[in-house]
Amino acid sequence: MITVIGSLNMDFTSIVDRYPGLGETVIGREFHHQFGGKGANQAVAASRLGGSVHMIGRVGGDSFGEQYLSHLKEESIFFKNVEPVTHSSTGVSSVIISEGDNLIIVVPGANYELTPQDIEACREQIENSDVVVLQLEIPMNSVEKALEIASNKGITTILNPAPYHEFPSEWWPMITYLTPNEHEAELLMKSPGFREEYKEKLIITNGKDGIAYYKNGESTFIKAPKVQAVDTTGAGDTFNGALSYFLDKGYDFHDACYHATYAASLSVTKFGAQGGMPSLEELKQFMD
């Protein structure tokens, strides 16, 4: 059983020929509305592969929240611990894409209503998990509470430290694996409380170049296969969800990372953060 604790956002993406100036209106070429949020993305990635995935999070008591709960059901994700909060809106992300780059505004909304008390109320769910997956799009004290509960039971924890926040040194012993990108890894290794032995907890994602990790003081690289990228949004989330799935299935560490790298590469061949996340059969065919 995999438990994902994190964010659920509605993503609104507009594609334009150029960015508007201050006070200016421009006509867009395309508009896309997708389900997103790093927590839900990672839950979907693990579930698509066939994992038994439970989600803990918050949505607003609005139509977006209702749509998201229906979406989780369609993705075969257990969502009894995803509760609507009436006094806050569902988290939203507004994205403008132009000239191969993007501008993003995120309004966390209900995601920031997930409290340590809410995490405590889900203690039984967390303690019955084999893998617990977390990110940093919910309150930091809620992440800490989840790490405490999981680590006290010896449960494998995966923390995707994004968006990057410096966290207390007390977190390091409670984390089994950290999955930063190159920039985040550099910041982590300069943060207070970091020790050289903690490098063995890092799995560093390098986009189209693959991943790197450390074992017994040696660095190992797994190259990503070459693909025709359509949309790289969600590739990191696919990696995290797939990693949790393959670790949960008993794959050894290297093989779990290897399969997760291929899943992430396959995910960028379709549009949307969740659009390209593969089923297990699709991944096997791709790897073959």
Side-chain angles (χ1 to χ4, degrees):
M1 186 193 301
I2 300 165
T3 296
V4 180
I5 306 170
S7 57
L8 304 97
N9 289 336
M10 300 298 277
D11 293 346
F12 302 96
T13 303
S14 299
I15 300 176
V16 298
D17 291 324
R18 64 177 181 84
Y19 294 118
L22 190 64
E24 182 186 12
T25 299
V26 299
I27 302 298
R29 288 191 286 111
E30 296 179 40
F31 173 77
H32 300 274
H33 166 210
Q34 305 111 9
F35 296 97
K38 298 188 73 62
N41 288 348
Q42 293 173 19
V44 169
S47 183
R48 291 253 180 102
L49 291 167
S52 176
V53 181
H54 292 248
M55 181 87 203
I56 297 174
R58 292 291 180 267
V59 293
D62 49 28
S63 61
F64 293 151
E66 292 175 3
Q67 290 174 42
Y68 221 129
L69 295 180
S70 296
H71 177 63
L72 294 176
K73 184 177 182 180
E74 291 172 1
E75 293 288 349
S76 301
I77 295 169
F78 296 95
F79 60 93
K80 71 174 184 179
N81 292 312
V82 180
E83 297 181 8
V85 289
T86 58
H87 55 279
S88 189
S89 63
T90 299
V92 296
S93 174
S94 300
V95 184
I96 301 175
I97 297 176
S98 181
E99 302 169 355
D101 211 337
N102 59 49
L103 294 173
I104 302 175
I105 300 172
V106 176
V107 182
N111 292 308
Y112 276 16
E113 301 296 331
L114 185 65
T115 66
Q117 291 75 26
D118 296 326
I119 301 297
E120 177 60 38
C122 298
R123 175 180 287 271
E124 184 177 356
Q125 170 61 44
I126 297 170
E127 291 182 340
N128 287 329
S129 304
D130 298 298
V131 182
V132 172
V133 185
L134 296 141
Q135 322 78 35
L136 299 179
E137 288 187 335
I138 58 174
M140 295 286 280
N141 55 358
S142 298
V143 175
E144 182 171 297
K145 184 65 175 178
L147 287 172
E148 287 174 357
I149 294 172
S151 64
N152 285 339
K153 287 290 184 178
I155 296 165
T156 297
T157 56
I158 300 173
L159 176 63
N160 179 212
Y164 182 79
H165 294 284
E166 194 171 285
F167 56 76
S169 58
E170 291 79 19
W171 285 24
W172 282 100
M174 298 189 290
I175 300 167
T176 311
Y177 302 115
L178 276 145
T179 55
N181 60 28
E182 288 180 289
H183 175 66
E184 292 157 353
E186 186 177 339
L187 293 173
L188 282 168
M189 287 188 279
K190 294 177 180 178
S191 64
F194 179 78
R195 301 177 185 174
E196 189 66 21
E197 62 263 31
Y198 291 153
K199 287 178 76 173
E200 309 261 327
K201 296 176 179 280
L202 301 180
I203 306 169
I204 304 170
T205 57
N206 299 317
K208 61 182 175 59
D209 295 325
I211 70 158
Y213 67 82
Y214 300 90
K215 284 296 174 189
N216 301 318
E218 298 290 327
S219 58
T220 297
F221 297 90
I222 297 177
K223 290 184 177 181
K226 291 184 179 179
V227 296
Q228 185 64 45
V230 173
D231 183 3
T232 59
T233 309
D237 293 334
T238 303
F239 178 84
N240 280 274
L243 177 66
S244 70
Y245 170 78
F246 288 111
L247 289 174
D248 187 39
K249 287 297 179 182
Y251 284 59
D252 69 34
F253 176 75
H254 179 83
D255 282 350
C257 289
Y258 183 81
H259 281 72
T261 300
Y262 271 71
S265 295
L266 181 54
S267 75
V268 307
T269 61
K270 295 181 181 179
F271 189 84
Q274 298 179 11
M277 292 176 173
S279 67
L280 187 59
E281 184 59 33
E282 288 171 335
L283 178 60
K284 285 180 177 179
Q285 290 178 2
F286 176 63
M287 296 182 75
D288 287 343

